[in-house]
Amino acid sequence: MSEKKAAAGLQGIVAGQSAISTVGVGGIGLNYRGYDINDLAYKCSFEEVTYLLLKGNLPTQQQLDELKTFIWQKRQIPCKLKQILETLPKESHPMDIMRTVASIVGILEPETKPGQEYEICIRLISLFGPALLYWYHYSNSGIKINENTGKDSIAENFLKLYHLKSEIDPLVIRTFDVSLILYAEHDFAASTFAARVTVSTLSDFYSGITTAIGTLRGPLHGGANEAAMQYLEPLKSISQADQFLNSRYQSKQLIMGFGHRVYKKEDPRSPIIKDFSLQLSKTTNGDPTLLAVSQHIEKRMIEEKKIYPNLDFYSASAYKQCGVPTPMFTAIFVISRMTGWGGHLIEQRSNNKLMRPVSEYTGPAKKQFVPIEMRNKANL
């Protein structure tokens, strides 16, 4: 038996060094490359944050304009990928579509030389939304969408393609854009760490991203916003919300969208997305009942359990009011977190060492081997 004791879930274990973000330092806070998340969310676009995470600095106007043009140029869906998307069943989960897109693009446009990471990141950030929505519209109605809406932002392009409209409410676009900023990076979260492990073996960039998508799919990570909306949507009154909470308390089930491994109290991203969700609830197409129920659940969870909402809780109501279907919530997370994943994979490669932790053995002591002819049910 090893003298070292395992940390469940690697909690508290320092697994490497990174210059990309600080998360929960002192139990609070979130910074991307030194910039406070509040400044980035309220004063920047997702494209600016993309440049920051991948390049290390906020862009000048010229650099931002060049990035927007590059994104526009990289939106085109390869014909072979379209053919594959047309064969995938409409019952597929959007996260499975995202994983497939990453794998297929890795085959069609493989990483063949050093220094391609930035281009691959922008390609996937630009392509994921249009590819997902090409599959969605084709599988549901047979429509083959034109994926390029001009030099629109990532947020505006996604919303126009989903709603098949040329004009989208500016508040909806801004809410979507802010959500992308908030989901963009979070240190060694499970998907990021998994991706870094993959590329630490000197595997290709696409394999790292595919690993990350698979990890993000789980409800304890990226899928939490979907899980939160699944229980929020049927609740049409405060009394129904109370019944739901009381039932969960009694059965000791998790309330998805609450609590965080890192933040001791409030997730600093939560009040930001809550602000935008509240703004949407006051518009013509908003859902004030959904917000009232959400706020009631938040109040009870804080008062009775001392557990605060994380980003996923109010992201659920924000996305719902943007008109996005619940199964797409985590897929949107992929588009956003590509920036953080990309920054981490570039960083991992810059000073690589194979990640190979050890385990604490809990199996039986050394056994005497018994030949097959001498074995019986008693010693099996």
Side-chain angles (χ1 to χ4, degrees):
M1 180 76 69
S2 170
E3 293 182 359
K4 295 181 179 179
K5 294 295 181 181
L10 299 182
Q11 185 168 2
I13 300 297
V14 176
Q17 295 181 321
S18 178
I20 298 175
S21 67
T22 56
V23 175
V25 175
I28 59 173
L30 173 61
N31 299 278
Y32 296 172
R33 303 231 186 238
Y35 292 99
D36 185 270
I37 191 61
N38 284 277
D39 289 330
L40 296 174
Y42 284 108
K43 300 174 184 178
C44 286
S45 66
F46 175 61
E47 284 72 17
E48 288 176 87
V49 171
T50 295
Y51 191 96
L52 171 67
L53 291 173
L54 296 179
K55 292 287 192 177
N57 299 290
L58 285 170
T60 64
Q61 187 62 56
Q62 180 179 343
Q63 290 169 333
L64 180 60
D65 290 342
E66 290 172 353
L67 173 57
K68 288 180 177 178
T69 298
F70 195 29
I71 288 171
W72 170 54
Q73 293 170 341
K74 291 293 181 180
R75 278 192 181 129
Q76 185 174 359
I77 306 172
C79 290
K80 289 185 178 179
L81 177 56
K82 286 183 177 180
Q83 292 170 0
I84 292 169
L85 291 171
E86 290 171 12
T87 67
L88 301 178
K90 69 177 183 179
E91 295 80 16
S92 303
H93 192 284
M95 284 297 284
D96 297 335
I97 303 300
M98 303 298 262
R99 187 184 61 227
T100 300
V101 169
S103 292
I104 297 301
V105 176
I107 295 171
L108 299 177
E109 303 170 13
E111 182 182 20
T112 57
K113 58 186 178 182
Q116 286 184 283
E117 295 96 342
Y118 179 73
E119 181 177 350
I120 293 172
C121 283
I122 300 303
R123 175 59 161 151
L124 291 176
I125 293 166
S126 306
L127 180 65
F128 271 141
L132 173 68
L133 295 170
Y134 185 93
W135 161 79
Y136 174 79
H137 286 298
Y138 184 86
S139 64
N140 283 279
S141 60
I143 296 174
K144 297 183 180 183
I145 62 170
N146 177 6
E147 64 270 24
N148 214 326
T149 61
K151 294 186 180 181
D152 291 326
S153 67
I154 295 292
E156 189 167 4
N157 174 258
F158 186 97
L159 291 165
K160 283 182 177 180
L161 292 181
Y162 174 70
H163 292 293
L164 297 179
K165 292 181 178 179
S166 59
E167 297 292 333
I168 302 293
D169 182 342
L171 178 58
V172 170
I173 296 172
R174 184 59 184 145
T175 300
F176 198 95
D177 191 74
V178 167
S179 81
L180 295 178
I181 293 172
L182 297 178
Y183 273 119
E185 160 60 10
H186 217 234
D187 191 42
F188 277 22
S191 57
T192 301
F193 183 68
R196 290 188 73 137
V197 170
T198 297
V199 300
S200 80
T201 70
L202 301 185
S203 187
D204 70 295
F205 199 89
Y206 292 101
S207 292
I209 298 303
T210 306
T211 298
I213 294 171
T215 307
L216 188 69
R217 197 188 193 289
L220 292 184
H221 190 10
N225 51 18
E226 288 185 42
M229 194 64 240
Q230 285 167 0
Y231 73 72
L232 282 170
E233 192 164 20
L235 305 178
K236 302 303 181 183
S237 67
I238 299 302
S239 62
Q240 288 182 2
D242 283 331
Q243 291 172 10
F244 165 78
L245 275 181
N246 294 339
S247 174
R248 287 296 178 100
Y249 286 176
Q250 188 174 10
S251 59
K252 296 182 179 180
Q253 291 180 274
L254 288 174
I255 311 295
M256 301 305 293
F258 283 85
H260 199 281
R261 178 71 68 85
V262 176
Y263 301 116
K264 304 304 179 184
K265 289 190 176 180
E266 188 173 57
D267 181 336
R269 301 166 297 178
S270 180
I272 300 172
I273 198 64
K274 178 182 179 181
D275 176 20
F276 282 91
S277 190
L278 280 168
Q279 290 183 52
L280 287 173
S281 73
K282 298 172 185 177
T283 64
T284 303
N285 296 318
D287 190 339
T289 300
L290 175 60
L291 262 293
V293 165
S294 298
Q295 289 177 292
H296 181 73
I297 291 175
E298 176 191 21
K299 184 174 184 291
R300 281 195 58 184
M301 286 292 290
I302 294 173
E303 291 179 351
E304 298 167 10
K305 298 295 183 179
K306 303 297 185 289
I307 302 177
Y308 291 78
N310 55 44
L311 172 60
D312 293 315
F313 184 65
Y314 279 105
S315 290
S317 57
Y319 284 143
K320 191 68 177 177
Q321 293 179 105
C322 287
V324 178
T326 303
M328 285 191 186
F329 289 3
T330 314
I332 296 168
F333 195 158
V334 171
I335 300 169
S336 168
R337 190 55 63 88
M338 260 305 306
T339 55
W341 292 337
H344 277 276
L345 297 192
I346 292 169
E347 185 177 67
Q348 179 67 34
R349 285 179 164 182
S350 70
N351 185 28
N352 188 58
K353 187 173 180 63
L354 175 66
M355 291 193 191
R356 201 318 190 169
V358 296
S359 67
E360 179 184 358
Y361 180 66
T362 60
K366 187 175 181 179
K367 293 182 177 182
Q368 184 67 37
F369 179 77
V370 179
I372 191 167
E373 63 273 10
M374 297 179 64
R375 297 172 204 161
N376 55 45
K377 292 182 179 180
N379 58 29
L380 291 180

